[in-house]
């Protein structure tokens, strides 16, 4: 619980004891995010990834203040809502890559079909082998696709959307680093393969990393990420049928 | 008047973001009202793609706003990761198992996808000669 002395004289002090103003957490999240971005610009390491750093700092603070997720999300839900408009925004890069889509569409279809099948199949098989609960298993299925799609997918098949989103984020963070290592090991000649590796395996975070490898890799990764997300949303009702 | 609208929309990021939010909001309302099986954002993306492809709107009207929203996408999903606050059980063996699923699964996806694309690429290269 926050102490009253900390709040004395601030606009926050008028609230019932032990409760933060809902916008407090929005301000904290925004502030930590800007801080994390600044740190990442100076020291680009995997552990300074803005998302990881924001999460770690925010989580530490929330734990220290004994805040529940319910309290936290009250003031920050609007940020999650912005994922909707962000999904709409994906139309622009897709439109701008239309020439590349026309040239390479058969390969893109192969990449997305192979990637989606392996992603869902491996999540299911590994989670079952390790004896995870059905709700966890379902929340792990969409972890390779971008968050807005993953949340839609989890809602559809009966997973826990927030948990699915968390798995997506962890996948992105680990995947971007794993991708770097894999590029050194795999004999990949085409920029298509390098881009697809990042876009399919580590969605948004991977796409950002692929942009550093090369411009073509970056746009392929972004395209594969969006198309894989769309595919998973479209096949979610089918998978939901099998899960029942 | 039209020229001025064009300049205003092409140069400024905020009206573009506002336009994208409005488009999403409309599509989301439609999805809810008709209980369609796709998320509002995905419908909005399809609508915007159609508008761009048919020349209904120039891409300069949404380019900056889209880049802005996509650049900060990490911020938008930061709140979802805080769900771990309510799942302390994940900081245990279960959490390690989830991590194992993610690491092994992601390696399989990456290697599988990259090799499939590379195989296609080389096959096409051989056949084109």
């Amino acid at each position: 619980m926050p102490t009253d002395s900390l709040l004395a004289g601030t606009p926050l002090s008028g609230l019932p004891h032990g409760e933060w103003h809902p916008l407090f957490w929005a301000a904290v999240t925004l502030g930590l995010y800007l801080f994390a971005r600044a740190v990442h610009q100076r020291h680009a390491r995997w552990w300074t990834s803005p998302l990881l750093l924001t999460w770690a700092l925010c989580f530490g603070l929330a734990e220290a203040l004994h805040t529940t997720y319910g309290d936290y999300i009250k003031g920050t839900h609007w940020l999650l809502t912005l994922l909707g408009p962000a999904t709409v925004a994906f139309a622009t890069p897709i439109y701008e890559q239309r020439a590349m889509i026309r040239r390479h569409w058969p390969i893109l279809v192969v990449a997305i079909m192979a990637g989606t099948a392996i992603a869902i199949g491996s999540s299911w098989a590994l989670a079952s082998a390790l004896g995870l609960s059905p709700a966890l298993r379902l929340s792990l299925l969409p972890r390779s696709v971008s968050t807005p799609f993953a949340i839609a997918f989890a809602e559809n098949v009966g997973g826990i959307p927030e948990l699915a989103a968390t798995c997506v984020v962890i996948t992105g963070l680990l995947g971007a680093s794993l991708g770097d290592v894999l590029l050194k090991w795999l004999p990949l000649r085409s920029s298509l393969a390098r881009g697809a590796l990042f876009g399919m395996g580590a969605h948004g975070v991977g796409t950002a990393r692929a942009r550093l490898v090369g411009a073509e890799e970056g746009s392929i990764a972004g395209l594969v990420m969006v198309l894989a997300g769309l595919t998973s949303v479209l096949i979610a009702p089918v998978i939901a049928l099998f899960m029942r | 008047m039209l020229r001025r609208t064009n300049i205003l929309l092409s140069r400024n990021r905020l009206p573009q973001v506002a336009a994208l939010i409005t488009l999403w909001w409309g599509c989301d309302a439609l999805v809810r009202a008709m209980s369609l099986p796709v998320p509002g954002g995905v419908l909005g993306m399809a609508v915007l793609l159609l508008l761009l492809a048919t020349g209904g709107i120039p891409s300069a009207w949404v380019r900056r706003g889209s880049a802005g929203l996509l650049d900060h996408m990490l911020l938008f999903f930061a709140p979802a990761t805080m769900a771990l606050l309510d799942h302390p059980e994940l900081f245990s063996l279960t959490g390690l198992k989830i991590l194992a699923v993610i690491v092994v699964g992601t390696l399989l996806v990456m290697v599988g996808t990259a090799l499939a694309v590379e195989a296609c690429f080389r096959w096409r290269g051989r056949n084109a000669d």
Side-chain angles (χ1 to χ4, degrees):
Chain A
M1 297 289 149
T3 53
D4 285 328
S5 60
L6 259 174
L7 293 169
T10 68
L12 302 175
S13 58
L15 283 161
H17 179 79
E19 211 174 294
W20 293 93
H21 189 283
L23 284 181
F24 169 74
W25 283 111
V28 166
T29 309
L30 268 169
L32 289 176
Y33 169 74
L34 290 175
F35 169 74
R37 263 177 85 99
V39 169
H40 188 67
Q41 262 160 16
R42 283 200 200 146
H43 311 276
R45 306 276 151 69
W46 70 267
W47 51 268
T48 62
S49 159
L51 192 56
L52 184 64
L53 207 54
T54 309
W55 174 78
L57 296 171
C58 222
F59 195 85
L61 190 63
E63 277 285 308
L65 296 175
H66 300 285
T67 304
T68 62
Y69 179 64
D71 281 338
Y72 173 84
I73 203 70
K74 236 185 269 168
T76 50
H77 199 269
W78 61 276
L79 281 172
L80 266 182
T81 307
L82 280 173
L83 279 173
T87 313
V88 177
F90 271 123
T92 314
I94 294 185
Y95 175 72
E96 282 170 358
Q97 293 301 329
R98 60 196 181 283
M100 185 155 57
I101 300 178
R102 227 173 280 144
R103 214 167 91 219
H104 294 306
W105 70 266
I107 295 185
L108 288 170
V109 169
V110 168
I112 286 147
M113 298 228 304
T116 306
I118 300 172
I120 293 179
S122 69
S123 290
W124 178 257
L126 290 165
S128 303
L130 290 173
L132 294 175
S133 73
L136 276 178
R137 214 159 31 182
L138 289 175
S139 307
L140 270 165
L141 286 190
R143 74 190 153 68
S144 286
V145 298
S146 191
T147 313
F149 301 109
I151 289 177
F153 183 99
E155 278 171 352
N156 218 323
V157 300
I160 308 159
E162 278 91 355
L163 207 57
T166 308
C167 293
V168 169
V169 172
I170 299 173
T171 302
L173 291 173
L174 290 172
S177 307
L178 287 173
D180 272 350
V181 179
L182 284 178
L183 277 196
K184 288 191 191 119
W185 287 85
L186 292 174
L188 302 175
R189 272 189 236 151
S190 67
S191 58
L192 271 163
R194 290 191 292 266
L197 178 147
F198 277 109
M200 195 62 233
H203 51 87
V205 195
T207 301
R209 190 63 62 98
R211 281 210 184 101
L212 298 178
V213 178
E216 215 173 34
E217 280 86 351
S219 36
I220 297 268
L223 190 63
V224 167
M225 162 178 81
V226 174
L227 294 178
L230 276 176
T231 309
S232 73
V233 170
L234 293 178
I235 63 171
V238 183
I239 290 181
L241 277 182
F242 279 104
M243 297 295 147
R244 265 180 212 135
Chain B
M1 183 62 202
L2 251 177
R3 219 177 92 84
R4 214 176 280 170
T5 315
N6 188 20
I7 290 172
L8 178 89
L9 267 176
S10 307
R11 291 197 186 154
N12 296 297
R13 181 176 276 197
L14 277 180
Q16 294 189 5
V17 171
L20 289 166
I21 292 177
T22 312
L23 179 60
W24 166 78
W25 182 80
C27 290
D28 196 55
L30 189 73
V31 162
R32 274 165 211 272
M34 302 183 61
S35 47
L36 299 173
V38 289
V42 174
L43 179 66
M45 184 177 81
V47 170
L48 182 58
L49 206 52
L50 205 68
L51 283 172
L52 289 169
T54 57
I57 59 166
S59 64
W61 281 15
V62 286
R63 191 180 293 133
R64 280 162 198 254
S66 296
L69 280 170
L70 293 177
D71 277 354
H72 294 292
M73 223 170 84
L74 291 180
L75 169 65
F76 307 148
F77 53 82
T81 62
M82 296 291 281
L84 282 177
L85 282 172
D86 282 2
H87 295 278
E89 76 274 12
L90 294 185
F91 290 95
S92 63
L93 187 61
T94 312
L96 276 181
K97 284 180 180 174
I98 292 179
L99 218 55
V101 173
I102 290 178
V103 170
V104 178
T106 303
L107 279 174
L108 289 173
V109 170
M110 287 182 151
V111 173
T113 309
L115 291 184
V117 172
E118 186 73 9
C120 276
F121 189 78
R122 291 188 187 183
W123 179 81
R124 206 169 66 164
R126 251 201 314 274
N127 285 24
D129 291 335

